[in-house]
Amino acid sequence: MFFLESDAYHYHADVAGLFGLIGASGAFAASFAGKSADSKGADYALNLGILLFLGAYLLLGFGGYYLLGLIIGVVILDVGQQMTHISNQARIFTLRPEARSRLNTVYMTACFIGASAGSLIGGIAWSHVAWPGVCGVGLGFVALAYVLNRFYERGTAPVSR
């Protein structure tokens, strides 16, 4: 919203709100994400989602000043979010299938806490560095997700003899 109201675009809240509809296009990716997680495994879909996040933030950082770059970046970002979300749920549901509801509650609570922290840190980045700072924070979180995903995979990988 800050970016769309800035000197780069001069849009007001009504036009900026339409970007929510553009982002909703990622909901159509849920089916693809679920099929990918089912056929190729949750790890594959999660890695693809992280890669999409990376590409989206790079596109937004360099091409976000152009309306087409911003729209494509938002769509890719939302598709990446769907991929990682569904993959993570597929992963946690295998931990204790009989506790799906409780696991999902913990997972969604962690998601909301993470989203709130991201909004806070992104807002601080906006106040200091504007759009490049916001995209940098996004890239930082993607890098952290990548590292944590690699650490998780190593911690659960079967031991070869």
Side-chain angles (χ1 to χ4, degrees):
M1 180 90 158
F2 295 135
F3 186 52
L4 294 173
E5 291 180 339
S6 73
D7 291 340
Y9 287 101
H10 300 288
Y11 291 147
H12 297 289
D14 54 344
V15 176
L18 291 174
F19 270 81
L21 295 175
I22 293 169
S25 66
F28 295 111
S31 174
F32 171 72
K35 287 175 185 174
S36 293
D38 288 343
S39 66
K40 296 186 180 182
D43 290 339
Y44 170 82
L46 183 62
N47 287 327
L48 180 59
I50 290 172
L51 184 64
L52 288 170
F53 268 131
L54 173 68
Y57 279 116
L58 289 172
L59 177 60
L60 289 169
F62 293 106
Y65 291 98
Y66 304 99
L67 188 58
L68 184 60
L70 186 65
I71 291 171
I72 293 171
V74 166
V75 170
I76 293 171
L77 189 70
D78 202 49
V79 171
Q81 189 277 330
Q82 287 290 336
M83 294 291 292
T84 57
H85 176 65
I86 290 181
S87 300
N88 280 327
Q89 282 186 315
R91 280 175 137 182
I92 66 164
F93 290 157
T94 62
L95 296 175
R96 294 192 65 192
E98 72 279 3
R100 282 183 153 206
S101 180
R102 286 174 281 167
L103 289 170
N104 197 52
T105 299
V106 171
Y107 171 73
M108 291 307 298
T109 300
C111 285
F112 283 114
I113 291 169
S116 297
S119 293
L120 174 67
I121 296 168
I124 293 169
W126 175 264
S127 68
H128 293 289
V129 195
W131 187 243
V134 172
C135 292
V137 165
L139 283 170
F141 279 123
V142 169
L144 179 62
Y146 176 79
V147 168
L148 290 174
N149 185 44
R150 289 291 158 243
F151 176 75
Y152 174 80
E153 285 181 359
R154 281 194 197 123
T156 60
V159 177
S160 59
R161 296 188 190 248

